[in-house]
Amino acid sequence: MAEVRNKQVVLKNYVVGFPKESDMDIVEGTITLKIPEGSSDVLLKNLYLSCDPYMRFLMAKNTYVGFGNYTLNSPLAGNGVSQVVESGHPDYKEGDLVWGFTNWEEYSLLSSAQIRFKIEHTDVPLSYYTGILGMPGMTAYAGFFELGSPKKGEKVFVSAASGAVGQLVGQFAKLNGCYVVGSAGSKEKVDLLKNKLGFDEAFNYKEEPDLNAALKRYFPEGIDIYFENVGGKTLDAVLPNMRLHGRIPVCGMISQYNLTQSEGVTNLAHLIFKRIKMEGFIVTDFYHLYPKFLEFVVPLIREGKVVYVEDIVEGLENGPAAMVGLFTGRNVGKQVISVVCE
């Protein structure tokens, strides 16, 4: 019965304001590579971990996001790709590749309920199951198609457009015959949107002193669908530029996550005048569509009709810096941690 080291990223301090690397700690414990007798749990070797903005909520002391906050001196947790070491559950066997909700550590002993899906398509990078074939991909698909209800020729605006979700929303919109503009926070990301991801236009919001004027420049006839990832001043500028019967799927509000006092939005009356549908959503409500989503997106990946940009850091010890970097714009594309250095 082998006992091996188990490096972990644990929460050292509850986060107030922007997260700091010092709010997390790297600790090294041990784990026995054997599940308890009679248990239906699954022992996993973690391969890739997803670094996502929503995790910031779980690092605070009391924040309601629909599930529990992290506990001090315990590992962070999020979506990840893992390989089954040993299983007490009939659906999983040694060697299976899976993705689901796992801990930020080398090995995790988890309830089988934390596994989302077994990985069947292995002709694409395994890391994709933290992104395009995992939670962010499903988020883009469900938010855009189920809530956005796009029609060919419509005008689509995506904020945080080079991120894990935004880059896919833009590409799905183009495949659906829409005109697409994205905003991002650097020249490098704007170039990526226009030259690699196929957006019609993109702009650096940091270089736009008047977001309302910028949106009028790119959308002289108004916006049909705004895929909301940012909130705050961006949302306030978008609302007057929406068209009648526009739709706003609300995926995230990253500009607000680290503020002690959220910014107000003053233009909400446009929701009434323009009969706009604005709806928040959580991706877990749509996982029943995952098989349908795979049928849609896997051929597009294989044919090169959809591309996915990842920012992979190697080693759990670089996890805290990767998490902090999400909120400073350091990453370009989906932030992934490779637990087993390649």
Side-chain angles (χ1 to χ4, degrees):
M1 193 179 296
E3 188 172 79
V4 298
R5 72 164 199 175
N6 193 28
K7 191 185 294 182
Q8 301 175 315
V9 180
V10 303
L11 184 65
K12 186 177 176 184
N13 307 303
Y14 287 118
V15 174
V16 177
F18 280 81
K20 305 180 294 296
E21 289 186 47
S22 59
D23 291 323
M24 293 159 272
D25 212 354
I26 309 296
V27 302
E28 200 164 292
T30 59
I31 187 170
T32 302
L33 297 184
K34 187 76 179 169
I35 59 172
E37 191 71 35
S39 169
S40 62
D41 289 347
V42 182
L43 179 65
L44 300 173
K45 179 178 178 63
N46 295 315
L47 306 177
Y48 294 98
L49 298 172
S50 180
C51 196
D52 296 299
Y54 78 86
M55 297 171 69
R56 164 63 184 83
F57 283 118
L58 307 184
M59 300 170 81
K61 191 167 187 178
N62 293 303
T63 313
Y64 176 76
V65 291
F67 46 96
N69 294 53
Y70 299 141
T71 304
L72 289 182
N73 302 312
S74 293
L76 305 187
N79 287 285
V81 174
S82 313
Q83 187 163 34
V84 176
V85 176
E86 190 177 36
S87 172
H89 194 280
D91 288 352
Y92 307 103
K93 64 180 189 300
E94 181 183 347
D96 281 349
L97 293 165
V98 297
W99 74 268
F101 204 75
T102 189
N103 296 331
W104 278 32
E105 56 190 356
E106 291 176 285
Y107 294 91
S108 295
L109 180 64
L110 301 174
S111 161
S112 60
Q114 290 181 246
I115 296 174
R116 293 288 183 199
F117 299 98
K118 194 184 295 188
I119 293 173
E120 306 290 351
H121 303 285
T122 55
D123 60 331
V124 295
L126 277 179
S127 56
Y128 275 17
Y129 288 90
T130 68
I132 185 171
L133 294 176
M135 181 273 290
M138 267 304 306
T139 301
Y141 177 79
F144 184 64
F145 290 109
E146 297 294 312
L147 276 66
S149 304
K151 303 176 191 68
K152 186 176 180 179
E154 288 194 315
K155 317 295 186 200
V156 177
F157 176 50
V158 186
S159 56
S162 68
V165 175
Q167 60 173 295
L168 292 173
V169 173
Q171 292 181 82
F172 293 166
K174 285 302 298 176
L175 288 167
N176 212 60
C178 298
Y179 166 81
V180 187
V181 178
S183 62
S186 71
K187 182 183 184 301
E188 179 187 11
K189 292 177 181 179
V190 167
D191 289 345
L192 177 73
L193 293 174
K194 290 179 9 181
N195 300 326
K196 183 165 185 175
L197 300 176
F199 283 59
D200 292 291
E201 291 289 351
F203 64 89
N204 182 349
Y205 68 89
K206 294 177 182 176
E207 295 178 349
E208 298 289 348
D210 186 340
L211 278 176
N212 181 51
L215 292 171
K216 281 183 167 45
R217 190 165 74 244
Y218 290 106
F219 296 98
E221 299 172 359
I223 300 166
D224 293 295
I225 301 172
Y226 169 45
F227 198 95
E228 169 67 298
N229 288 312
V230 170
K233 294 181 177 68
T234 302
L235 175 59
D236 218 19
V238 165
L239 287 167
N241 288 285
M242 292 295 294
R243 300 180 75 177
L244 284 177
H245 303 291
R247 286 85 70 204
I248 305 178
V250 183
C251 172
M253 292 196 171
I254 196 170
S255 72
Q256 307 302 294
Y257 294 169
N258 300 303
L259 303 180
T260 51
Q261 180 65 50
S262 297
E263 293 173 331
V265 177
T266 62
N267 287 319
L268 288 173
H270 288 274
L271 294 173
I272 306 166
F273 307 144
K274 295 177 178 176
R275 283 82 89 196
I276 297 165
K277 181 181 180 182
M278 182 173 177
E279 184 176 354
F281 71 102
I282 301 292
V283 67
T284 50
D285 295 339
F286 294 93
Y287 276 142
H288 63 282
L289 298 176
Y290 188 66
K292 180 182 173 186
F293 166 65
L294 287 183
E295 286 179 17
F296 165 76
V297 78
V298 170
L300 295 174
I301 296 171
R302 288 174 177 156
E303 294 163 22
K305 292 180 179 176
V306 167
V307 296
Y308 198 62
V309 179
E310 297 177 303
D311 190 328
I312 298 179
V313 300
E314 298 201 346
L316 273 170
E317 62 277 8
N318 293 311
M323 173 59 72
V324 171
L326 284 180
F327 301 98
T328 59
R330 191 206 66 80
N331 60 300
V332 177
K334 169 69 187 135
Q335 185 67 76
V336 182
I337 299 161
S338 175
V339 182
V340 181
C341 294
E342 296 172 347

